[in-house]
Amino acid sequence: MPHPSPTSTPTGSLTDQEIATQPGDWRTAAALAASGPAGLPRRGERVAVVGCGTSWFMAQAYAALRESGGHGETDAFAASEFPAGRRYDRVLAITRSGTTTEVLRLLDGTDLPSTAITACTDQPVAAAADHLVDLGFADERSVVQTRFATTVLALLRAHLESEEALPAGVRPVAEAAADAERAVDWQVPDELVALEQVSFLGAGWTNGLAQEAGLKMREAALAWTEAYPAMEYRHGPVSITAPGRAAWMFGELPAGLADEVAAVGGRLVADSGAGGLDPLADLVRVHRLAVALAAHRGLDPDRPRNLTRSIVLG
């Protein structure tokens, strides 16, 4: 059965509806950060940030932001790969559902001070963490995470901002939210929906965004995507790019990369960074693209294949 024609119009899915609330959610998160919720990392603490899937990629982005802003050594781990015996001043866990098995096992098994950011404070994470930060206003009914993940990062960015130590070139959350409004209204070009493959690229804190962009496209639309640090793209992955395929850069484009993508016939998307969208708002555009591509392929982004809202292991 042939796919329907490409479309850039909203699908009416839960995922689409939740994507649209992100600018307001980020502003709410910024206000919450300004109120000083207990348990968020203090300047100078040595912090491990953990999560699974999307939450791990947000942990990566935050860890890079926090450390590059001079707040203290910050590492990000998949919860299942936390290095036993390594000492930190705080473990910060991200779990939308509050039921993710690997996160709960880590929190239950550590004697380190711990904080969990969650949308579900009535779940087992409440007993496992020393402190909870409640983002229930950004919870989702869809399986595919969009607004919860970006709102976590908006909260943590705003917390860094409140301590007047955002890394150079990183904008206040208020500006990111304004850019997200533009991203929500963005009309997805049909030529992007028609792409065969996309390689998402990042640098520093946007590496986590690139990883998350690739995951989102795979989850919602079963798309072939890759994700790499921008400077590593030249070391082999550029061979994937060709006519009908694209490289999508989050943040500043490294010198010479545009020419390399053009030389192999690929399409370059590089609309964030200085003078463009905030990279976190650019991730909202990928959310829009993932939903549009799912519709093009006759898929339901609210019910991705082989996935559930929370991974609970036996």
Side-chain angles (χ1 to χ4, degrees):
M1 181 176 181
H3 293 315
S5 298
T7 179
S8 61
T9 58
T11 64
S13 66
L14 291 174
T15 308
D16 233 346
Q17 295 168 30
E18 290 161 355
I19 288 169
T21 72
Q22 289 178 97
D25 293 332
W26 299 0
R27 293 184 178 106
T28 301
L32 176 59
S35 73
L40 289 183
R42 296 187 299 272
R43 192 163 188 169
E45 285 187 328
R46 187 167 186 256
V47 176
V49 196
V50 301
C52 298
T54 288
S55 295
W56 177 34
F57 299 142
M58 295 301 100
Q60 290 175 8
Y62 170 60
L65 277 171
R66 184 176 187 270
E67 188 159 321
S68 62
H71 289 258
E73 185 175 350
T74 316
D75 297 322
F77 300 101
S80 59
E81 297 298 319
F82 185 80
R86 189 176 295 183
R87 303 302 299 178
Y88 290 93
D89 298 313
R90 182 169 306 278
V91 173
L92 178 64
I94 304 170
T95 168
R96 176 179 66 171
S97 69
T99 61
T100 308
T101 297
E102 299 96 313
V103 171
L104 295 177
R105 286 175 178 170
L106 170 58
L107 292 175
D108 286 337
T110 186
D111 61 354
L112 301 173
S114 61
T115 301
I117 303 175
T118 184
C120 301
T121 57
D122 59 348
Q123 294 301 316
V125 72
D130 299 324
H131 298 280
L132 289 183
V133 179
D134 182 2
L135 290 191
F137 64 88
D139 199 5
E140 296 154 325
R141 291 181 291 165
S142 57
V143 171
V144 173
Q145 284 197 52
T146 55
R147 70 181 180 193
F148 176 76
T150 62
T151 300
V152 168
L153 192 53
L155 170 82
L156 294 171
R157 269 179 68 171
H159 184 245
L160 298 180
E161 184 182 340
S162 71
E163 297 186 345
E164 299 180 352
L166 278 175
V170 178
R171 305 171 193 172
V173 170
E175 294 183 20
D179 281 353
E181 290 177 337
R182 295 164 53 199
V184 165
D185 291 337
W186 179 61
Q187 294 299 301
V188 182
D190 289 347
E191 55 266 30
L192 292 186
V193 176
L195 288 171
E196 178 188 21
Q197 188 274 338
V198 183
S199 295
F200 292 103
L201 310 176
W205 75 277
T206 67
N207 277 320
L209 302 187
Q211 293 288 343
E212 170 58 9
L215 178 63
K216 213 51 49 192
M217 294 279 284
R218 292 190 293 271
E219 288 178 334
L222 304 183
W224 174 20
T225 60
E226 310 277 344
Y228 303 97
M231 297 303 289
E232 287 297 310
Y233 175 69
R234 296 173 162 98
H235 296 274
V238 66
S239 63
I240 296 170
T241 306
R245 301 176 183 178
W248 185 310
M249 178 70 199
F250 289 92
E252 297 303 311
L253 189 67
L257 189 59
D259 291 339
E260 294 190 31
V261 173
V264 296
R267 181 186 180 101
L268 177 66
V269 182
D271 300 324
S272 60
L277 287 172
D278 185 279
L280 189 58
D282 204 18
L283 181 58
V284 176
R285 296 202 311 164
V286 177
H287 295 164
R288 295 287 318 285
L289 174 59
V291 170
L293 182 57
H296 174 47
R297 295 182 171 185
L299 301 171
D300 182 353
D302 295 339
R303 298 174 180 82
R305 188 173 71 183
N306 303 330
L307 294 177
T308 58
R309 176 178 152 84
S310 174
I311 306 300
V312 179
L313 305 176

